[in-house]
Amino acid sequence: MSSIVPVDLLAAATNPLYFSNLVTTNASDPSTIALLSYNDTFRNDVLGENATARRLYNLDHEAFHEMGTYNRKTNSIYVTSNYQSLDNPINVTIIDLGNNYSISSTRYADLNEANGGTNWYPPNSTQGNGTTPPFLLFCDEGDFEHYSGLVSVDPSTNNSQVILNSFLGRNFSSVNDVRQHPETGDIWFTDAPYGFWQEFRPNTSIPSQVYRFVPSTGDISVVADGFIASNGLEFSPDLKTLYVTDTGAQQSINGLNGTRPATIYAFDVVDQRRLDNRRTFAWVENGFPDGIHTDMQGNVWAGCGDGLHVWSPDGVLLGKVWNGVESNNFAFIPGGVLVFSNAQLWIVEGINAVGREICRDFGVCGSS
Ligand SMILES: *[C@@H]1O[C@H](CO)[C@@H](O)[C@H](O)[C@H]1NC(C)=O
Ligand SMILES: *[C@@H]1O[C@H](CO)[C@@H](O)[C@H](O)[C@H]1NC(C)=O
Ligand SMILES: *[C@@H]1O[C@H](CO)[C@@H](O)[C@H](O)[C@H]1NC(C)=O
Ligand SMILES: *[C@@H]1O[C@H](CO)[C@@H](O)[C@H](O)[C@H]1NC(C)=O
Ligand SMILES: *[C@@H]1O[C@H](CO)[C@@H](O)[C@H](O)[C@H]1NC(C)=O
Ligand SMILES: *[C@@H]1O[C@H](CO)[C@@H](O)[C@H](O)[C@H]1NC(C)=O
Ligand SMILES: *[C@@H]1O[C@H](CO)[C@@H](O)[C@H](O)[C@H]1NC(C)=O
Ligand SMILES: *[C@@H]1O[C@H](CO)[C@@H](O)[C@H](O)[C@H]1NC(C)=O
Ligand SMILES: *[C@@H]1O[C@H](CO)[C@@H](O)[C@H](O)[C@H]1NC(C)=O
Ligand SMILES: *[C@@H]1O[C@H](CO)[C@@H](O)[C@H](O)[C@H]1NC(C)=O
């Protein structure tokens, strides 16, 4: 069980060892989780004074890595595992919210090496608050034989369908993460060299970019480039800003290069179709920012090298959900957050923050 730990930024300003003495864990057997408040807004508003955190699982394999998408029909959250080998490919881990977070593993036809994902409404289905998104949309990183692209799955029937596997005939590297614009239905996604870095894809032959795909017509465009590894992406709750993480500091699977990006960029979303005004939103001092989500106050949360980091909409670091280990992604649930740290799954409960998609996905639409 955790408590909220205040961070004294003035003490840290002149003591480079401040953080190494603040809270520690055994990274080969992590069991500590702490809520570090860098700014009173974190304790008072984002979390609330009674928030708590604990570990749910510590497995012998890395079942909790990316995605974290809720489906209301199955009352479950879908998470993708970390890559192990072509002989032990990426699983989908199903967390049953109706049964004490019990977990099971599965794989779907047509989905080879899954990574990020989201809920999605196919063309002509009704979008809206409280309208259950029927399908899961997975990024498939592909392998030496299979294309990388986007695969739709109906978790009620387990039927799957490839909806995209090239840019007008050019192969993607490893499609990484995806969101559906809640008003236009367009699918925005990133592509990065991970399959090559992890040695299950050929060398990249296309830049790391951000794309917008119109699933009803097949129209596809590049909306941003200039990344080493475009990774997580997320809209602000007013849909005026898109955040994109660059995990280029993870130069290969074998190591970090601290001089390359571990950075979140922000863009203006223009006419719901293009991006403009690229700017640096935040850089992280521990690991790299991977999966990213916003809450209804516009705060930006990202999975980083030591847990989750949370910034205000103007880029001030407000606090961390600290567990001392790489936490690639997370999922908001009503009143809480599930944190994916590969072999571990953690939960933060009793928080004020409400994830951007909570109202739509869970039908829980409170006053805040
Ligand atoms: C850290 O955890 C590992 C694995 O359980 C254990 O072997 C090691 O002794 C622990 N280290 C410390 C300092 O407790
Ligand atoms: C806390 O964050 C808010 C919001 O960004 C900022 O206005 C304020 O100055 C910060 N407080 C301190 C003590 O740094
Ligand atoms: C936190 O818990 C304490 C003790 O149960 C209670 O008195 C207080 O009202 C709670 N605070 C909030 C904001 O709910
Ligand atoms: C719920 O699951 C946890 C492990 O995540 C276990 O320790 C606990 O006993 C379970 N509780 C019930 C009521 O099954
Ligand atoms: C997939 O799940 C099975 C069963 O839980 C497990 O043995 C295997 O190691 C998992 N593979 C990966 C890549 O996590
Ligand atoms: C969506 O509806 C329009 C108008 O009814 C129709 O022309 C179009 O074929 C439909 N698209 C799909 C993908 O079903
Ligand atoms: C959905 O709810 C949000 C607030 O939770 C509101 O801003 C938005 O207008 C609603 N959208 C629709 C289509 O009702
Ligand atoms: C594109 O990917 C497919 C499927 O893996 C492969 O057969 C094809 O050779 C690739 N094309 C190029 C130009 O690399
Ligand atoms: C779909 O897959 C899940 C997980 O393996 C399984 O529990 C469920 O029974 C399957 N549903 C159908 C309709 O086959
Ligand atoms: C992979 O492609 C890049 C870009 O063309 C090139 O610089 C690099 O040398 C290639 N790496 C290998 C191992 O072929």
Side-chain angles (χ1 to χ4, degrees):
M1 214 52 144
S2 65
S3 53
I4 299 181
V5 178
V7 170
D8 182 344
L9 287 176
L10 273 180
T14 54
N15 177 4
L17 301 180
Y18 177 85
F19 289 102
S20 47
N21 296 322
L22 186 66
V23 53
T24 56
T25 197
N26 180 348
S28 23
D29 186 14
S31 56
T32 303
I33 183 161
L35 303 169
L36 303 186
S37 187
Y38 284 62
N39 178 301
D40 287 346
T41 305
F42 194 59
R43 177 181 183 277
N44 297 335
D45 301 341
V46 178
L47 295 181
E49 59 178 330
N50 291 336
T52 59
R54 63 195 163 100
R55 192 175 74 184
L56 289 175
Y57 290 101
N58 185 24
L59 306 179
D60 63 2
H61 61 283
E62 301 193 337
F64 314 105
H65 185 59
E66 285 280 8
M67 197 167 178
T69 301
Y70 178 70
N71 182 270
R72 209 185 311 175
K73 277 196 193 135
T74 59
N75 194 24
S76 295
I77 289 198
Y78 295 77
V79 181
T80 54
S81 77
N82 205 355
Y83 177 75
Q84 296 300 323
S85 68
L86 286 168
D87 296 332
N88 183 9
I90 292 174
N91 287 322
V92 176
T93 305
I94 304 175
I95 305 173
D96 186 348
L97 298 194
N99 185 19
N100 188 27
Y101 307 104
S102 66
I103 54 173
S104 57
S105 293
T106 194
R107 286 184 50 82
Y108 297 111
D110 301 317
L111 182 59
N112 298 291
E113 299 292 352
N115 193 64
T118 192
N119 265 311
W120 87 290
Y121 299 91
N124 288 354
S125 57
T126 309
Q127 294 204 45
N129 291 333
T131 311
T132 307
F135 296 152
L136 304 171
L137 189 62
F138 290 88
C139 297
D140 189 343
E141 297 186 280
D143 57 28
F144 286 111
E145 270 121 50
H146 299 99
Y147 292 94
S148 176
L150 296 168
V151 178
S152 165
V153 171
D154 179 347
S156 303
T157 63
N158 299 332
N159 291 337
S160 58
Q161 186 187 3
V162 175
I163 68 158
L164 177 71
N165 61 12
S166 83
F167 180 85
L168 306 174
R170 284 282 294 278
N171 285 355
F172 295 115
S173 300
S174 317
V175 172
N176 193 287
D177 209 350
V178 60
R179 293 287 178 272
Q180 184 175 35
H181 190 289
E183 290 172 359
T184 65
D186 292 353
I187 295 170
W188 297 62
F189 65 94
T190 59
D191 185 38
Y194 277 92
F196 173 62
W197 287 349
Q198 292 176 275
E199 301 180 339
F200 64 86
R201 285 279 290 160
N203 201 351
T204 55
S205 57
I206 193 168
S208 273
Q209 301 182 121
V210 184
Y211 298 86
R212 184 177 58 82
F213 173 61
V214 184
S216 58
T217 63
D219 279 311
I220 185 166
S221 348
V222 174
V223 289
D225 68 358
F227 300 90
I228 294 179
S230 44
N231 197 309
L233 79 172
E234 176 61 306
F235 293 103
S236 60
D238 64 8
L239 307 176
K240 290 181 177 158
T241 305
L242 184 77
Y243 299 99
V244 182
T245 71
D246 189 338
T247 52
Q250 190 180 34
Q251 140 173 63
S252 70
I253 211 63
N254 296 317
L256 291 181
N257 178 338
T259 67
R260 302 214 298 186
T263 306
I264 302 172
Y265 297 97
F267 298 82
D268 294 341
V269 180
V270 181
D271 298 336
Q272 301 185 318
R273 297 163 56 82
R274 334 182 257 113
L275 297 178
D276 198 359
N277 190 20
R278 175 187 174 125
R279 56 212 182 263
T280 302
F281 174 76
W283 176 81
V284 309
E285 87 296 349
N286 195 310
F288 45 83
D290 192 341
I292 185 168
H293 300 281
T294 52
D295 67 30
M296 290 304 290
Q297 303 301 316
N299 299 312
V300 177
W301 300 53
C304 300
D306 55 352
L308 309 183
H309 296 197
V310 182
W311 297 266
S312 69
D314 51 359
V316 174
L317 180 64
L318 300 177
K320 293 186 182 183
V321 175
W322 189 96
N323 57 19
V325 287
E326 183 168 307
S327 302
N328 296 87
N329 216 325
F330 57 100
F332 282 109
I333 57 177
V337 183
L338 290 168
V339 181
F340 311 142
S341 311
N342 297 302
Q344 297 92 37
L345 177 68
W346 315 74
I347 187 168
V348 189
E349 293 168 293
I351 68 170
N352 292 335
V354 176
R356 179 177 73 81
E357 295 177 319
I358 287 290
C359 171
R360 182 196 72 179
D361 290 356
F362 290 82
V364 177
C365 305
S367 51
S368 63

